Amino acid sequence: MKPHHSFFCPKILPVTFILLLSFFGESLAENHENFLKCLSLQSDTISKVIYTQNNSSYSSVLESSIQNLVYSAPTKPKPLFIITPFHVSEIQATVKCSKKYGLQIRVRSGGHDHDALSSVSYVPFIIVDLINFSEVSVDAEEKTAWVQSGATVGQLNYRIAETSQNVLAFPVGTCPTVGVGGHLSGGGFGPLLRKYGTAADHVVDAHMIDVKGRFLNRESMGEDLFWAIRGGGGASFGIIVSWKINLVAVPSTVTVFAIPRTLEQNATKLLNKWQYIADRVHEDLFISPILFRMNSTMVSIFTSLFLGGIDRLIPLIQESFPELSLTKQDCKEMSFIESVVYLDGFGISESANVDVLLSRNFPKKSFKGKADYLTEPIPEEAFQGIYDIFFEEDEKTIGLLQFFPYGGKISEISESEIPYPHRAGNIYTLLYFVDWGQDTTNEAFQRHDNMIKKLFNYTTPYVTKNPRSAYINYRDLDIGTNNNEGPISVEEASVWGKKYFKNNFYRLVHVKTMVDPDNFFRNEQSIPPFRLVKDEL
């Protein structure tokens, strides 16, 4: 607490400060005690799922789902309490009591938020960790599933394949430990985006707890709120506990390949050609280059999923991308669920059992990511500047660029159908990623942060403008934040909001104003409500 300059007095400050600390310390302790009493009155079972900072399991529960080690550091703010509910009633009690006693809620499904907004806050807060809400119920005959928000993408992929005998799937990403709740509420896409669009495009119902602690489904929440939570960032509107999704058909046999090409093997010309064909090839074909440095050269691995067999794939590549020189020996046929494992990197260098998708326990890393959208190809000669940035860094600085193709179904859906707006006109998404493993030093952070910012700044002339679009599931606080401790104006929030949502941002503000006018569900990049006086001026 800082004294006002006009009242600053060095002699009386120490005594005053001690008295204030004593008063507020007692008040906070009493407030927290009252919060716990409130919970016990609201729920008979919640005492079994509360972890206080004095609990011996507190640290392990906190760190279990923080995927980015940057935010596990001792210097980062910690929640006052962690609640791992098993029942909806426990979530309802938490919302009511947090609201009553002024505690901010952070909701965590998989913990993959790049800037850890699901695990860290700079005001007094608690975490609602949905790890026990992880049930997946598949109806293969109806081609639907109910999945709880704490389930992982890997678990969802596995259960769909298991129940449907490998002929149904869902268009999510391939990273197995990503939580379903965050993935769907941000839009969510993976290698099926050209065939079927985003994951959120296929959500047909949801269950959530709103700011009043009410349990809502699609009918009771209304179409505006149901629209908002499918790609608009669910944490702004409540706690979404489960989703009903329509499943999609996949063939019993798909084909994958991962072909590395160095600069000496014409990687630049291949990347350049890819830019002109990636969004135009058959919608069953997904080709995604990954660019990184290896020793004294650059390598581009052209990874691909094709929804069909090798005999059908080879002619398509020969027609659209003959420069790749694809052969049958480069390709592998497998089931779709095996391709998920392959494309996540497990199966490229070694064979891996699909059971790996059920695990939540993979090595955690320190990392940072950004995203861009392109409507025109990067000029071939401009790739040299990208390579130069990689070569300026020492080899300990690890980064990559992934080129994610558009076209097909994702480009056919209206940009206002759901809040995720990045549709027709985009030829691909460019994902920037750096990681520095288990190294949690500030020096390692600064090196990698500088590198990703150099790459991001360098590509400015080639990506979307006014606004420079971004992807909320690649959370990036560098593009703008709310004032988390005071009032937020719509105009201030639009700086980052229009980058994620384009003009859908204003409809999201309208929904927020209807369902959470006091802005209880908030974070550094949450949708603000419209405040009549300030936002009209």
Side-chain angles (χ1 to χ4, degrees), residues 333-347:
E333 289 185 341
M334 57 185 65
S335 66
F336 177 78
I337 194 65
E338 290 171 325
S339 79
V340 173
V341 177
Y342 181 91
L343 290 171
D344 197 52
F346 295 110

Side-chain angles (χ1 to χ4, degrees), residues 437-511:
Q438 308 297 306
D439 191 343
T440 57
T441 63
N442 186 59
E443 185 272 335
F445 170 80
Q446 290 298 335
R447 266 192 299 114
H448 288 83
D449 188 54
N450 288 340
M451 179 186 182
I452 200 171
K453 286 176 178 174
K454 284 180 187 176
L455 288 167
F456 192 72
N457 290 336
Y458 177 81
T459 57
T460 300
Y462 313 117
V463 300
T464 53
K465 300 171 180 64
N466 302 318
R468 181 174 187 168
S469 297
Y471 176 34
I472 193 169
N473 280 357
Y474 255 58
R475 174 86 65 189
D476 187 359
L477 296 184
D478 292 340
I479 68 173
T481 61
N482 297 333
N483 171 16
N484 200 30
E485 297 183 13
I488 306 166
S489 79
V490 171
E491 182 181 3
E492 291 164 347
S494 70
V495 171
W496 59 263
K498 291 185 72 175
K499 294 175 183 176
Y500 288 141
F501 307 115
K502 299 171 84 170
N503 285 333
N504 290 339
F505 171 73
Y506 296 107
R507 184 176 173 188
L508 290 168
V509 169
H510 171 72
V511 176

Side-chain angles (χ1 to χ4, degrees), residues 147 236 246 272 317 328 354 393 414 423 458 469 478 520:
V147 54
S236 294
N246 280 338
N272 186 56
I317 294 292
K328 287 188 175 183
V354 296
E393 307 294 332
S414 165
R423 305 287 187 169
Y458 177 81
S469 297
D478 292 340
F520 173 68

Side-chain angles (χ1 to χ4, degrees), residues 95 98-99 103-105 211 512 516 518-522:
V95 170
S98 298
K99 190 176 180 185
L103 296 177
Q104 194 172 96
I105 292 178
V211 70
K512 175 73 169 182
D516 185 16
D518 296 325
N519 203 23
F520 173 68
F521 289 109
R522 63 188 290 170

Side-chain angles (χ1 to χ4, degrees), residues 288-520:
S288 177
I290 301 171
L291 180 67
F292 57 94
R293 175 184 176 183
M294 180 176 285
N295 300 322
S296 60
T297 190
M298 297 294 295
V299 178
S300 179
I301 298 182
F302 291 83
T303 62
S304 179
L305 168 68
F306 176 65
L307 300 176
I310 293 175
D311 289 343
R312 186 167 153 242
L313 169 62
I314 296 293
L316 284 176
I317 294 292
Q318 288 174 341
E319 178 186 350
S320 60
F321 201 5
E323 297 85 351
L324 193 58
S325 302
L326 183 72
T327 67
K328 287 188 175 183
Q329 290 69 38
D330 295 320
C331 303
K332 294 182 180 180
E333 289 185 341
M334 57 185 65
S335 66
F336 177 78
I337 194 65
E338 290 171 325
S339 79
V340 173
V341 177
Y342 181 91
L343 290 171
D344 197 52
F346 295 110
I348 292 178
S349 58
E350 58 189 56
S351 60
N353 192 298
V354 296
D355 289 348
V356 71
L357 298 174
L358 295 175
S359 176
R360 300 182 87 108
N361 300 314
F362 292 95
K364 296 178 172 64
K365 298 179 178 181
S366 300
F367 66 85
K368 186 175 179 66
K370 291 178 176 289
D372 263 321
Y373 291 83
L374 287 87
T375 58
E376 296 180 357
I378 296 173
E380 182 176 344
E381 60 273 15
F383 279 100
Q384 184 59 51
I386 292 174
Y387 305 155
D388 290 343
I389 293 172
F390 278 91
F391 288 129
E392 284 170 7
E393 307 294 332
D394 63 52
E395 291 186 39
K396 294 187 300 180
T397 308
I398 300 169
L400 62 82
L401 298 178
Q402 182 165 13
F403 302 73
F404 226 83
Y406 262 53
K409 187 65 174 179
I410 195 168
S411 300
E412 295 169 6
I413 298 171
S414 165
E415 66 178 37
S416 60
E417 182 70 20
I418 64 171
Y420 182 88
H422 311 298
R423 305 287 187 169
N426 293 295
I427 58 173
Y428 64 90
T429 304
L430 181 59
L431 304 178
Y432 310 72
F433 191 80
V434 290
D435 85 68
W436 49 107
Q438 308 297 306
D439 191 343
T440 57
T441 63
N442 186 59
E443 185 272 335
F445 170 80
Q446 290 298 335
R447 266 192 299 114
H448 288 83
D449 188 54
N450 288 340
M451 179 186 182
I452 200 171
K453 286 176 178 174
K454 284 180 187 176
L455 288 167
F456 192 72
N457 290 336
Y458 177 81
T459 57
T460 300
Y462 313 117
V463 300
T464 53
K465 300 171 180 64
N466 302 318
R468 181 174 187 168
S469 297
Y471 176 34
I472 193 169
N473 280 357
Y474 255 58
R475 174 86 65 189
D476 187 359
L477 296 184
D478 292 340
I479 68 173
T481 61
N482 297 333
N483 171 16
N484 200 30
E485 297 183 13
I488 306 166
S489 79
V490 171
E491 182 181 3
E492 291 164 347
S494 70
V495 171
W496 59 263
K498 291 185 72 175
K499 294 175 183 176
Y500 288 141
F501 307 115
K502 299 171 84 170
N503 285 333
N504 290 339
F505 171 73
Y506 296 107
R507 184 176 173 188
L508 290 168
V509 169
H510 171 72
V511 176
K512 175 73 169 182
T513 306
M514 290 194 303
V515 303
D516 185 16
D518 296 325
N519 203 23
F520 173 68

Side-chain angles (χ1 to χ4, degrees), residues 38 42 91-101 212-213:
C38 176
Q42 292 278 343
I91 301 175
Q92 292 173 303
T94 302
V95 170
K96 291 175 182 177
C97 295
S98 298
K99 190 176 180 185
K100 183 174 182 179
Y101 290 100
K212 297 178 181 178

Side-chain angles (χ1 to χ4, degrees), residues 79-91:
L80 297 168
F81 310 103
I82 305 168
I83 297 170
T84 57
F86 282 95
H87 307 290
V88 165
S89 61
E90 294 162 352
I91 301 175

